[in-house]
Amino acid sequence: MSTATFNSVCLTRRFLWKDEPKNSKLIKRNERARLCIRVSATLSTKSLQIEDGKLQKPEKQVRIGLLGASGYTGAEIVRLLANHPYFDITLMTADRKAGQSMGSVFPHLIAQDLPIMVSIKDADFSKVDAVFCCLPHGTTQEIIKGLPKSLKIVDLSADFRLRDISEYQEWYGQPHIAPELQKEAVYGLTEISREVIKNARLVANPGCYPTSIQLPLVPLIKANLIEYGNIIIDAKSGVSGAGRGAKEANLYSEIAEGIYSYGVTRHRHAPEIEQGLSDAAHSKVTVSFTPHLMPMIRGMQSTIYVEMAPGVTIEDLYEQLKISYKDEEFVKLLEKGVVPRTHNVRGSNYCLMNVFPDRIPGRAIIISVIDNLVKGASGQALQNLNIMLGFPENTGLLSQPMFP
């Protein structure tokens, strides 16, 4: 069996065993289990080579450029791609760390065979097929404008998330300098926008808070199960969401043993959240959104208070979420009564959620948790690029949560 045949057989999401009926319960099994079964059953010496007692990886097919590699989201991209059979990092940029190795900047990645980081102005894109852009907000538009049009791009900054460029200027304090690219950009909330992501060249990867909030709310709004005018969101994030830059507010003595509310009424994710919810409602939705910084490194929890539409019950909300995500690998509705915990998604691409009755009649409480650096950033970015390039979207993302 050739390597190409091995890849197509072992990683096809809906592969059927020979003589297996199409309605077999095997189809419904967890994809990770089926992946392992198929790999073990179809390995051959032609698909994997062993030299000097070491397993040699097959040649990778897609050359990846990583812009802004020295930040947390860049490091997460590298960690995730270490398990990706098709993506190979051939270019890494980091202006302040130019000339350094990734292992010297992030020692936990020292075992990875990676190119030396270079300044963006010295980057050679002739040997790159796709790009993850992990640069700060406000710097990405100009850089992406100058990239070859042949590249597939996933941008992890906020520079292309807001369709209305005047709204971008209002919330980010500077004019949008790539309005033509903005028209082309697709907002990449994977489970909601999968079909349009498939044909996109430029995907705006969602923010962490908007991901944890829209995933539970969008299906409920589309089904007209909740009122649009009284949504209250209390969200909490680990400190890594603020980035790796040295900031006084992020010092240990400033963060430890306390909770800090920030961006009250003016957090930049508010218009992004409202844009997605308004799309689902086909009318303007405004929310009360307050984020809080927690004394933990990773993790995000959004506790959302909603008013149910007349005649709607908690059971209706639960069943709608169950239907919406029953076939999704990374979004899981928990058993009734089980409270989602950030511990249970740490290091993974999962979003766990559940819905509870409020003590106030007619209201419900929704809790959603993600890892802000994975499903809230780099993991969803990889999920999106997999889709854009025609690979199974779970490729490289099957690592289970880390606990304890």
Side-chain angles (χ1 to χ4, degrees), residues 65-300:
L66 177 55
L67 311 187
S70 61
Y72 288 144
T73 56
E76 281 294 278
I77 292 287
V78 172
R79 182 179 73 87
L80 296 171
L81 292 190
N83 294 316
H84 201 293
Y86 305 122
F87 292 178
D88 185 32
I89 299 175
T90 57
L91 170 68
M92 303 176 73
T93 76
D95 285 359
R96 289 179 298 172
K97 305 290 185 180
Q100 298 184 40
S101 68
M102 192 66 170
S104 67
V105 177
F106 288 105
H108 71 293
L109 297 171
I110 196 169
Q112 300 304 306
D113 183 15
L114 298 165
I116 296 297
M117 292 183 284
V118 299
S119 172
I120 190 72
K121 63 180 177 60
D122 297 323
D124 178 8
F125 291 96
S126 64
K127 297 180 180 179
V128 172
D129 302 307
V131 165
F132 290 108
C133 193
C134 303
L135 297 168
H137 312 311
T139 64
T140 303
Q141 292 160 7
E142 183 174 4
I143 289 171
I144 290 183
K145 276 176 63 176
L147 295 181
K149 301 298 183 184
S150 59
L151 296 179
K152 296 279 190 176
I153 303 166
V154 179
D155 176 32
L156 281 76
S157 82
D159 278 10
F160 293 98
R161 293 176 189 162
L162 300 179
R163 291 192 301 270
D164 186 340
I165 60 175
S166 63
E167 195 167 39
Y168 174 85
Q169 182 169 357
E170 175 188 348
W171 287 87
Y172 287 88
Q174 60 190 62
H176 199 297
I177 63 172
E180 291 305 312
L181 274 179
Q182 183 60 63
K183 295 176 184 176
E184 178 185 354
V186 168
Y187 185 72
L189 189 61
T190 314
E191 285 76 15
I192 305 299
S193 304
R194 184 177 284 116
E195 292 306 310
V196 290
I197 291 169
K198 286 181 180 179
N199 298 315
R201 186 184 76 88
L202 169 60
V203 166
N205 210 59
C208 47
Y209 286 121
T211 296
S212 68
I213 292 162
Q214 291 181 88
L215 284 175
L217 287 185
V218 165
L220 302 181
I221 289 176
K222 285 184 174 180
N224 297 310
L225 295 178
I226 60 175
E227 300 290 350
Y228 309 152
N230 193 13
I231 299 173
I232 301 169
I233 304 162
D234 180 331
K236 299 173 176 65
S237 175
V239 184
S240 59
R244 205 185 191 200
K247 303 170 187 175
E248 180 179 300
N250 295 344
L251 294 173
Y252 177 82
S253 57
E254 303 285 337
I255 296 297
E257 301 178 25
I259 301 173
Y260 172 59
S261 303
Y262 67 105
V264 180
T265 75
R266 290 299 301 172
H267 193 281
R268 290 170 170 177
H269 284 177
E272 183 183 342
I273 295 164
E274 293 172 351
Q275 174 181 267
L277 300 186
S278 297
D279 288 348
H282 302 292
S283 65
K284 178 63 177 174
V285 175
T286 303
V287 300
S288 293
F289 167 59
T290 304
H292 309 271
L293 200 60
M294 302 297 289
M296 61 185 186
I297 298 170
R298 289 174 179 260
M300 175 166 287

Side-chain angles (χ1 to χ4, degrees), residues 342-359:
T342 58
H343 270 142
N344 296 334
V345 294
R346 182 179 171 88
S348 79
N349 198 51
Y350 292 102
C351 172
L352 306 183
M353 64 178 68
N354 216 338
V355 58
F356 305 87
D358 199 336
R359 291 177 59 243

